[in-house]
Amino acid sequence: MSLKLQAKARRHRRIRKRVSGMTDKPRLCVYKSLNHIYAQLIDDTKGHTLVSASSLDKEFKQVPSHKGNLKTAVEIGKLIASRASAMGIRKVVFDRSGYKYHGSVKAFANGVREGGLEF
């Protein structure tokens, strides 16, 4: 395992020690690959995913641009915020999954805030 992956794994473990989602305040987990970005709202007490959104959703199938860029991250953030608002969720706990709060993760978080969720 490379040093970069080891550092990400350490950050992820450190974050998950403190961050846990409940029914009234679920955990907003973000995952990014080279080409796509994914997000889930998770209730850790039950172990269920409440809402999910990704750049692979049918709303983004028509967009021919790269799915892992900042503009897409903001749109995914707004999409998951609107889906959460439809379920009556207003507050979440942000889990960046060991990624640095920079680039597409930061753009995603700003999109979520623009969509109306608080964390």
Side-chain angles (χ1 to χ4, degrees):
M1 186 181 266
S2 71
L3 291 177
K4 191 173 183 179
L5 288 177
Q6 288 176 352
K8 181 185 177 289
R10 267 196 317 271
R11 282 191 307 266
H12 184 64
R13 283 192 306 268
R14 188 172 59 236
I15 290 167
R16 285 294 291 131
K17 275 193 284 189
R18 296 184 183 113
V19 174
S20 180
M22 287 146 303
T23 305
D24 58 335
K25 197 171 181 182
R27 176 170 54 102
L28 174 60
C29 182
V30 63
Y31 172 75
K32 64 180 187 129
S33 67
L34 281 177
N35 298 320
H36 297 284
I37 187 162
Y38 310 84
Q40 294 180 328
L41 282 176
I42 303 169
D43 179 4
D44 287 320
T45 56
K46 295 179 183 175
H48 292 297
T49 298
L50 306 173
V51 179
S52 67
S54 76
S55 57
L56 292 171
D57 283 354
K58 58 186 171 184
E59 290 90 355
F60 294 96
K61 290 286 186 188
Q62 296 83 13
V63 181
S65 66
H66 180 62
K67 303 290 192 284
N69 61 12
L70 298 179
K71 187 168 59 170
T72 304
V74 171
E75 294 302 317
I76 294 296
K78 290 179 184 177
L79 178 65
I80 197 158
S82 67
R83 289 181 181 177
S85 296
M87 290 189 66
I89 299 169
R90 294 280 175 228
K91 293 187 176 187
V92 296
V93 178
F94 187 57
D95 176 12
R96 55 189 172 92
S97 300
Y99 299 109
K100 294 181 179 179
Y101 189 77
H102 182 268
S104 59
V105 175
K106 185 176 181 179
F108 170 78
N110 290 334
V112 171
R113 287 188 189 107
E114 288 176 24
L117 289 183
E118 296 177 25
F119 55 91

